[in-house]
Every structure is written in C-alpha cells, then in structure tokens.
Amino acid sequence: MNKILYVCSEAFPLIKTGGLADVAGSLPAALLSKSQDVRLVLPAYPEVLSKIKKQKIIAKSQYYMQSVNIIETKLPGTKVITWLIDCPAAFNRPGGPYTDQHGDEWHDNAFRYTILCHAAVDLSLNRLSINWQPNLVHCNDWQTGLVPALLSLYINSPKTIFTIHNIAYQGNFDQQMFNDLHLPKELWHMHGVEYYGKFSFMKAGIAYANKITTVSPNYAKEILTDEFGYGLSGLLNHRKDDLSGIVNGIDEKHWNPGTDELIVQKYNQQSLPQKVINKTALQKELKLANSKKTPLIGMVSRLVEQKGLNLILEHIETIISNNKVQFVILGAGNFHYEMLLCELAEKYPKQLSVTIGYNEALAHQIEAASDLFLMPSTFEPCGLNQLYSLRYGTLPIVTPVGGLVDTVIPATSENIQNNTANGFMLEGDNLVETIEHALSLYQQAKTWKQLQLTAMKAHFTWKNVAGHYIQLYDSLKSS
Ligand code: ADP
C-alpha cells in the first residue's frame, strides 16, 4: 500500500474549470478503492467552502505572515479525506480560481500557489503534527510545480510524481517574484526553476519530480517536439526515461447514459433507439427546428483557440448553409469567439443554438442528444469530452492530436469492416469533408448503429486507470 498526498488546484465537484478537476475528483477515490491510502490537498476557495458539510481544522500554519488553517473534510460523494488549505489572503475572493471576474489572471497567482505548495510540502514532511506522512506526493500542473522542487532539498523526503494536464499553462513569472517569495536560492539555475530568465512553476515540476506523467501516451510523445512542447521539449527530452502517458478515465457515476439523472431519457446499448428522445427534447428546449432525422452536432468546450474555434468559425456557415445539420454549442471563454458564435446563432436560429456559460446539466443533455460531437482541437492532452461522447454513443469528430489519437478510431472502411471504428478524424483542416463523410454514414442506419455500439463499449474506467498509476507508484518504491 502507498500513502499518497494528491495535490491539485481544482477537484470536481468542489471546484472545476476543466478536465483537471474531473481527474482530481475521480482518481483519488479510485486509488482508495484499490487500497491505497490517499489524501487530497486543495485550496479553500469560497466555492469549495460553500459546498462542504462536515469540516474541522486539524492544523495551523503561517506563510508570508498569512495564517493558514488546514481544514479536513471529505470530497463529496467519496470517502477521500481532503485537506483544504484555507488562507483567506490567497484564496478567499470572488471570481475563478485563476482569474478574476473579467477573466484576467490574478496578479498574485505566484504568491497564491506558492502558499499551496508550502502547505503541501509541510504536509508531505509531516511537519504540521497531523501524524500522517506520505511516501509519495502526486502533483498536478503548474500550480503545484514547486512541491517537487522544494522537497528535493530535503533528505528522505517522499518521492514525487508530476502530472502535466496541459503544458500550455506554465505559471511563468519574473525573477523578482522568485526573490520576493524568498524561495531557496539553490533552486535558481538553468536546470532548476529558471526558464530563460523567468521563474517557471511548470519547469520546476518537470525538473525535480522523480516521475513525470501526462494524460495520454500520444501527448507524452508530442510534448517532446518543438511544436507541442511549448518551450519545454528540451527538458522533457532530457527526462524522457521518466516520462509516460496514462489516458484519463471517466466518472461512470456522473457520465453514464443508463443512469444519468440530468438527461430527459436514459438509455443504454440495448435501448439505443430511445436516445433520440433526448434530441427532440433538446431541440424543443433550445428552439431548434424539431426533427428526429436531422443530425445534431454538439460541442461543449472552453471557447479558446486550443479547442479549434478558428477552424470551426471558418467553416461553420458553409456547413450550416447546406441545411442538412444542426449544431448546439455550449461554452465560455474568449469574448471574441463568444460574440461571433452568438451572431451566427442569431442568423440561423433554427439550426444553431449557442449557450454561453458553464452549465453541467446542459453539458450532459448535449452529450445525450447529439449524434456527433465536435472537438477539432489544435492540441489535446487527453480530452474528456470525446470519452463522454463515446460513452453516450455520440460519435466524436476530432483532430489527430494528443489523447484524441489514443481514444478515437476513425471510420475508415477498413475500421468499419473490423468493427473498431468509433468516430471521425480530420486530416489537415478538412472539417467540411469530414462532417460530410459523417453525415453520409449517418444515412446508413445499420452502419451508424454499429459505430455507436462500438463507441459505447469503450470503457475508460477510473479503476483501470488507477491500476496504471499504482504500477508507477510501486516502481518508485523500488527505485
Ligand atoms: P479541458 O480540460 O481542456 O477544458 P477536457 O475535454 O479535458 O478539456 O475537459 C473539459 C471538461 O469541462 C469536461 O468535463 C466538459 O464537459 C467540461 N466543460 C467545458 N466547458 C463547459 C461548459 N461550458 N459547461 C459545462 N461543462 C463544461
């Protein structure tokens, strides 16, 4: 059994901005179910505090003259012991975890997440009189990158794993910030936290962790290249032997069309024809033309360049004007994309519905209602939405990048023949042609059903995923 301190900046259902929260909300519970002793560490944002029931302060500390309480609770819906780092100066404010109400990064993010890291280090070293010491510390994304760096300065500190969920967000700050935070000077060098004269949290994690993982084998390969490595491919190549990729799972409690309470009509592989009831209900709800036969393409996404918004905006009118298809889009992000999509929805109200905002229930309804799911990302570390789509028999249309390659098998005639096809993959930027191909297969009911059933059979369970992480953890025990 391992004793694992799992450190991250968001975890579903307490706080979520993206896929990281889904992972942190599921993996610790799956590890627990496989007899690992795991504790989750998370900042006590106001939203988090408002959602927890039982809580008690189990330790106190102080960083940068700010008092910090360690609050113990359980991750709702699980037995995972969760330690919240309650430092009001850093985390108690309105807005998102990383950005203010206007979407601008908090000016003091380096300070905020250094506090999270200091607290995690103290917990790792059992310095807060809690009487529990991990043998492994699993850190996630840049917000936790200083943990492996700081722990490297101690003899006999726990081994560390650093998981990259998205290398594009690195937490880079000025050197002055490093000095102001009084971080140990011995970390400041080109093999440490220094990154072209800047101070980089992400680089710290990669440089100092004992093992580095990312969320799909294909992304693990891609980040070794200049194109996808965002300036860190050199260091990653240097650490290649310690780098691996493990595809995420999905939370079957929340994402299962057979039990999903948020959708109008539950269905499974046997009752697949009932899926269409979700489509007509959503068409009605969103005031799209009511038609069982018209293929519906869904999209639930952060509206940022990474998610292929430029490509979509370039071609969506061509696709819509063929009058053969409907789109339903849910997302929030870049104001420019939000505005352009809303303008298009006004122009084509019967064919295109755009909802700006974050809406968990609607996300489920879109997965259940749609025939196809659009995800033409420019890069995609793992991607969860294509996994949900597969589970819901909603065939994903994806680009050949990152985890999309590891999980979507394109409907070529050969793959259809072999019963392995479960979606569609662009070649270059042939979005229009790929959608045309999908729509032509949609007209072949038997083939379509076969594709859907193959998709629904794919099982990305957290239990399996946890097994892979445990193998990695165990390999660190013997090293
Ligand atoms: P990323 O982490 O890059 O945003 P993923 O596909 O890995 O992309 O995960 C996105 C997660 O966030 C999914 O669970 C998806 O359903 C959810 N999501 C994204 N945007 C919204 C939204 N506007 N409303 C509801 N859920 C959303």
Side-chain angles (χ1 to χ4, degrees):
M1 184 196 56
N2 293 293
K3 289 170 106 178
I4 305 147
L5 191 72
Y6 193 89
V7 190
C8 63
S9 56
E10 52 181 280
F12 183 82
L14 291 176
I15 179 86
K16 168 167 163 176
T17 72
L20 168 61
D22 289 311
V23 177
S26 296
L27 179 57
L31 291 168
L32 198 66
S33 77
K34 289 191 152 247
S35 306
Q36 306 291 302
D37 184 4
V38 55
R39 313 282 153 115
L40 176 65
V41 174
L42 194 67
Y45 311 108
E47 196 176 329
V48 169
L49 291 173
S50 74
K51 285 185 185 162
I52 54 170
K53 289 198 186 98
K54 282 201 182 139
Q55 52 173 291
K56 67 172 184 223
I57 295 172
I58 54 161
K60 288 179 186 286
S61 189
Q62 203 183 48
Y63 309 105
Y64 307 109
M65 302 209 297
Q66 301 297 331
S67 51
V68 173
N69 287 330
I70 312 292
I71 298 176
E72 181 169 302
T73 185
K74 295 255 170 75
L75 185 69
T78 74
K79 294 195 171 122
V80 175
I81 295 176
T82 301
W83 289 335
L84 303 177
I85 310 307
D86 184 25
C87 175
F91 302 121
N92 186 7
R93 54 181 79 173
Y98 320 121
T99 55
D100 63 19
Q101 294 100 318
H102 310 290
D104 296 322
E105 305 255 310
W106 291 113
H107 70 282
D108 56 351
N109 270 345
F111 159 76
R112 298 171 70 231
Y113 290 106
T114 300
I115 288 192
L116 173 68
C117 292
H118 279 313
V121 166
D122 281 345
L123 289 166
S124 306
L125 298 172
N126 193 15
R127 290 204 294 211
L128 300 180
S129 311
I130 296 180
N131 204 17
W132 183 89
Q133 176 152 28
N135 66 305
L136 292 167
V137 184
H138 190 155
C139 303
N140 295 277
D141 269 354
W142 76 260
Q143 293 86 353
T144 63
L146 286 184
V147 177
L150 292 168
L151 283 176
S152 75
L153 302 174
Y154 296 87
I155 308 163
N156 288 336
S157 58
K159 294 272 172 51
T160 53
I161 296 106
F162 182 68
T163 297
I164 301 166
H165 297 260
N166 191 337
I167 206 164
Y169 301 95
Q170 301 187 343
N172 295 334
F173 304 92
D174 290 337
Q175 181 176 10
Q176 190 56 43
M177 185 62 81
F178 179 85
N179 298 335
D180 292 349
L181 289 166
H182 306 293
L183 289 162
K185 294 264 179 301
E186 53 269 52
L187 297 178
W188 185 269
H189 54 86
M190 63 179 285
H191 302 296
V193 308
E194 189 264 337
Y195 177 63
Y196 298 109
K198 294 233 168 208
F199 160 38
S200 173
F201 276 60
M202 176 66 92
K203 187 178 169 218
I206 297 173
Y208 288 99
N210 295 101
K211 291 279 178 200
I212 306 150
T213 72
T214 186
V215 284
S216 67
N218 192 43
Y219 191 60
K221 276 191 232 147
E222 285 177 345
I223 56 178
L224 297 175
T225 65
D226 288 347
E227 188 185 352
F228 292 98
Y230 278 76
L232 287 167
S233 56
L235 174 62
L236 283 162
N237 273 289
H238 179 67
R239 299 242 30 214
K240 204 159 90 183
D241 293 344
D242 293 311
L243 169 68
S244 58
I246 300 173
V247 171
N248 287 330
I250 61 175
D251 181 349
E252 291 260 335
K253 264 200 321 269
H254 290 100
W255 294 97
N256 177 350
T259 54
D260 191 335
E261 296 295 339
L262 296 171
I263 63 178
V264 171
Q265 175 65 53
K266 301 184 182 79
Y267 60 94
N268 55 30
Q269 289 173 48
Q270 287 72 42
S271 58
L272 187 54
Q274 293 190 337
K275 175 172 162 62
V276 74
I277 297 170
N278 292 294
K279 173 153 98 179
T280 47
L282 194 67
Q283 285 170 329
K284 198 163 165 216
E285 171 81 22
L286 299 176
K287 305 194 170 54
L288 292 168
N290 216 290
S291 159
K292 274 188 193 176
K293 289 219 168 93
T294 307
L296 179 64
I297 304 183
M299 179 170 186
V300 181
S301 181
R302 290 183 294 119
L303 298 178
V304 295
E305 194 185 338
Q306 179 202 338
K307 300 296 177 178
L309 267 296
N310 290 340
L311 187 67
I312 292 170
L313 284 162
E314 194 181 328
H315 296 295
I316 195 166
E317 251 189 302
T318 313
I319 301 162
I320 288 181
S321 56
N322 285 345
N323 214 11
K324 286 195 292 206
V325 62
Q326 295 178 344
F327 282 90
V328 47
I329 299 177
L330 165 65
N334 183 316
F335 178 69
H336 169 73
Y337 293 136
E338 291 180 358
M339 205 183 57
L340 290 176
L341 285 172
C342 288
E343 277 172 16
L344 278 169
E346 264 179 45
K347 196 165 163 190
Y348 301 98
K350 293 285 161 199
Q351 269 185 282
L352 169 62
S353 160
V354 173
T355 306
I356 301 299
Y358 191 90
N359 186 332
E360 194 73 28
L362 185 55
H364 284 247
Q365 286 148 18
I366 291 174
E367 288 289 5
S370 303
D371 300 293
L372 289 152
F373 192 91
L374 188 57
M375 203 165 168
S377 307
T378 57
F379 67 95
E380 194 59 75
C382 174
L384 287 171
N385 271 310
Q386 88 280 12
L387 303 182
Y388 302 149
S389 302
L390 292 171
R391 192 74 189 81
Y392 281 65
T394 304
L395 305 183
I397 302 171
V398 303
T399 31
V401 294
L404 302 174
V405 170
D406 290 318
T407 53
V408 177
I409 300 162
T412 58
S413 23
E414 196 187 335
N415 291 338
I416 294 175
Q417 202 92 55
N418 300 337
N419 269 346
T420 53
N422 63 11
F424 300 90
M425 202 167 277
L426 273 69
E427 280 172 26
D429 54 5
N430 68 344
L431 181 66
V432 178
E433 294 80 357
T434 309
I435 290 183
E436 286 292 339
H437 172 52
L439 297 186
S440 71
L441 285 183
Y442 181 77
Q443 302 309 328
Q444 302 172 30
K446 207 167 144 227
T447 307
W448 192 260
K449 188 164 180 195
Q450 181 207 310
L451 294 173
Q452 286 182 300
L453 290 176
T454 306
M456 291 174 88
K457 270 185 215 131
H459 265 305
F460 298 96
T461 66
W462 276 111
K463 238 186 165 155
N464 280 343
V465 178
H468 292 297
Y469 279 102
I470 292 169
Q471 268 177 14
L472 180 77
Y473 297 154
D474 289 345
S475 75
L476 272 171
K477 269 202 291 211
S478 49
S479 66

